[in-house]
Amino acid sequence: MIKSAVSSLIGSLGSSIFSFSLGLMLMERTGLSISFALSIMVSALVSLFFAPLVGPIVDKQSRKAVILLSQSIVIMALILYTIYAYLSDNHIFLVTIILIVILRISDEFTSTAQESSKANIVLESDLQKLSGYQELSSNLSGLFSSVMGALLYAVFPFSILIGIEILTELLTLVLTWSIDFKFTKSDNMEFNDNLEVSSWKLFLEGLHYLKVQPYLMVAMIACMAINFFYAITFVGLPSFLLQTLQFNSLQYSVTQGATSLGFILGAYMLTRKKETDTPVYDLLRLSKILPLIFIGIALSALSSSNTVIMIWISILMILNGLSNSLLNIPFSIWMQKNVPTNIQGRVFHLLGVLCTCIQPIGILIYVALFDNKIGVPVVWDSFIFIISGIAMYLAVFLYIRFGKFDLKEAVIIDRENKV
């Protein structure tokens, strides 16, 4: 458990610093509001394109081997990117996009394998603690990485930041190698039946499993609506703060670090509290909390002081991280305990893909809205945040209301997952 948490801390620290500084670099060179959302958008498209492959491969192969291979590919890609950036500055935007695609493909395999192997590395009674500690470790790095990324980007060449990311990936690789992925169950024996089945058939079995789980389908569709409007935080927030309000990179990094602080508080609280009996109902409470945060961001424009706005936005981002952590993690734990282990890779990946597949559309719409402001920019930005919050709440509320779903009684139905 400790090795897994430390691995998450080191890996997240390096990748968070690199991702934040990469966003600053692209924003500085292009001035486009999509700069910070590019990685999210590419990730969603990669997830959708590789959906038939990732889950089945993870369920057929040793998950430890999948993680180690993916991390090795990331290291090689970063080394090649560093060499190219050193030799030439031509087409750096295109090369950066290619790097992001490679990183996101590797991340798809790594994150799916990690999520579906938790039941193999700790006892069932420790699953919530493991998830809490991993979230705590991951977001502890996020708390400092935004500020560190802004400071390091201002002081050192971008190549130094790439070097830091390569070093942390190497350390994570070594730690992952030392983790026992057969602590509670055999990581090989339980997948023997999958080895003789084609990846496409395994993908269809995973899809069928989701179709016969009504509460997973409800959660997925509602989360699609939430994620569509949540895309405003990847596009609208940096545009609002960096371009409209003229925040400097350090001020913006403080607001991003606040989100991680919220995740840390939520993860710590999860290690201390009892497991919830209503994970699906709790998850969809996000559709009530996030709209209030969006409206709060809009109201920050009433102040003329960037320092006051920074503090106010930081408080809202703490609430954002806190609510996401407290409501998302118990839902994942509920699935880890109730979804059959030999199909978890497919189920987790498919849910992730389907929940976020609509996000690129949201990103493109918000890019158009924030890059083509009408009238006074601060009023326009605030208006978009308020409308987005109201629309998110109504979309999920009407779907649940007219569907007449009893989310407090949500269960995973024990059925044969055959097509």
Side-chain angles (χ1 to χ4, degrees):
M1 185 185 297
I2 294 176
K3 287 181 181 178
S4 182
V6 172
S7 176
S8 296
L9 175 62
I10 295 174
S12 296
L13 181 61
S15 61
S16 296
I17 290 175
F18 178 70
S19 295
F20 188 82
S21 57
L22 184 64
L24 288 175
M25 184 268 287
L26 292 177
M27 178 73 83
E28 181 182 279
R29 296 193 182 188
T30 66
L32 297 175
S33 58
I34 198 175
S35 298
F36 280 94
L38 185 62
S39 180
I40 304 295
M41 184 174 178
V42 169
S43 179
L45 293 174
V46 166
S47 298
L48 186 61
F49 185 77
F50 282 86
L53 295 176
V54 176
I57 289 176
V58 169
D59 282 339
K60 287 175 69 173
Q61 307 298 328
S62 164
R63 286 161 182 169
K64 182 174 184 177
V66 170
I67 295 171
L68 292 175
L69 178 60
S70 297
Q71 291 174 331
S72 299
I73 291 173
V74 167
I75 293 170
M76 288 302 302
L78 288 168
I79 292 174
L80 292 175
Y81 181 77
T82 305
I83 295 172
Y84 180 89
Y86 178 77
L87 296 176
S88 172
D89 197 38
N90 295 330
H91 309 296
I92 191 65
F93 186 75
L94 177 60
V95 175
T96 300
I97 292 177
I98 295 173
L99 173 68
I100 292 174
V101 170
I102 295 173
L103 296 182
R104 291 298 161 256
I105 293 174
S106 297
D107 186 60
E108 282 297 303
F109 285 97
T110 300
S111 59
T112 302
Q114 287 176 335
E115 193 68 24
S116 56
S117 63
K118 287 180 179 178
N120 297 80
I121 60 179
V122 296
L123 299 173
E124 183 177 303
S125 58
D126 291 330
L127 272 175
Q128 175 153 313
K129 282 187 178 181
L130 175 62
S131 296
Y133 285 134
Q134 285 184 331
E135 194 73 17
L136 183 62
S137 300
S138 175
N139 288 286
L140 185 61
S141 66
L143 176 62
F144 300 106
S145 62
S146 297
V147 176
M148 289 173 63
L151 290 174
L152 291 173
Y153 182 77
V155 176
F156 296 105
F158 187 61
S159 58
I160 297 295
L161 302 180
I162 303 176
I164 293 174
E165 166 68 342
I166 293 173
L167 178 61
T168 55
E169 289 291 343
L170 284 170
L171 291 173
T172 304
L173 183 69
V174 173
L175 284 170
T176 302
W177 187 281
S178 66
I179 294 175
D180 184 5
F181 279 68
K182 303 177 184 179
F183 179 69
T184 57
K185 299 176 183 178
S186 171
D187 194 39
N188 295 319
M189 292 293 292
E190 63 188 23
F191 305 118
N192 282 344
D193 293 339
N194 291 337
L195 293 176
E196 303 300 325
V197 184
S198 69
S199 293
W200 179 248
K201 182 172 176 58
L202 288 175
F203 169 72
L204 291 178
E205 288 179 354
L207 200 59
H208 177 73
Y209 183 86
L210 280 181
K211 287 169 60 179
V212 299
Q213 301 295 336
Y215 290 105
L216 290 184
M217 292 295 293
V218 170
M220 181 191 73
I221 294 172
C223 285
M224 286 176 67
I226 292 173
N227 283 323
F228 175 83
F229 294 105
Y230 193 73
I232 196 173
T233 62
F234 307 127
V235 178
L237 191 58
S239 177
F240 178 54
L241 297 181
L242 291 171
Q243 295 181 324
T244 301
L245 298 180
Q246 294 296 300
F247 270 36
N248 59 47
S249 59
L250 185 58
Q251 288 174 317
Y252 176 69
S253 69
V254 170
T255 64
Q256 298 307 290
T259 304
S260 295
L261 178 58
F263 273 107
I264 290 170
L265 293 174
Y268 177 76
M269 291 169 64
L270 281 174
T271 64
R272 301 288 177 174
K273 65 177 297 208
K274 292 176 60 178
E275 293 184 25
T276 179
D277 295 323
T278 56
V280 178
Y281 175 81
D282 292 344
L283 175 67
L284 299 191
R285 287 164 62 188
L286 281 172
S287 64
K288 301 176 183 177
I289 298 171
L290 293 177
L292 295 176
I293 292 175
F294 291 175
I295 294 172
I297 292 173
L299 294 177
S300 69
L302 295 175
S303 174
S304 59
S305 169
N306 275 7
T307 301
V308 172
I309 295 175
M310 181 188 71
I311 295 172
W312 174 246
I313 296 292
S314 295
I315 293 172
L316 293 176
M317 291 299 100
I318 290 174
L319 294 176
N320 176 33
L322 180 67
S323 57
N324 269 285
S325 182
L326 286 176
L327 303 180
N328 270 301
I329 295 177
F331 178 73
S332 295
I333 294 170
W334 176 66
M335 289 202 301
Q336 288 162 8
K337 288 190 172 183
N338 292 281
V339 175
T341 307
N342 68 322
I343 201 173
Q344 280 190 14
R346 283 162 282 173
V347 173
F348 277 112
H349 187 256
L350 278 171
L351 271 179
V353 169
L354 295 173
C355 284
T356 60
C357 66
I358 199 171
Q359 214 163 50
I361 300 175
I363 288 174
L364 291 176
I365 290 174
Y366 283 122
V367 165
L369 290 172
F370 283 93
D371 279 348
N372 300 279
K373 304 178 195 291
I374 300 175
V376 181
V378 69
V379 175
W380 175 259
D381 290 356
S382 299
F383 175 73
I384 299 301
F385 270 102
I386 292 173
I387 293 300
S388 297
I390 295 173
M392 177 193 288
Y393 173 76
L394 289 176
V396 178
F397 173 77
L398 292 175
Y399 171 62
I400 300 300
R401 182 69 177 269
F402 286 106
K404 298 180 180 179
F405 303 113
D406 187 3
L407 300 182
K408 292 185 177 181
E409 299 298 325
V411 294
I412 297 289
I413 299 173
D414 185 14
R415 296 183 181 180
E416 288 291 325
N417 57 315
K418 303 232 174 157
V419 179

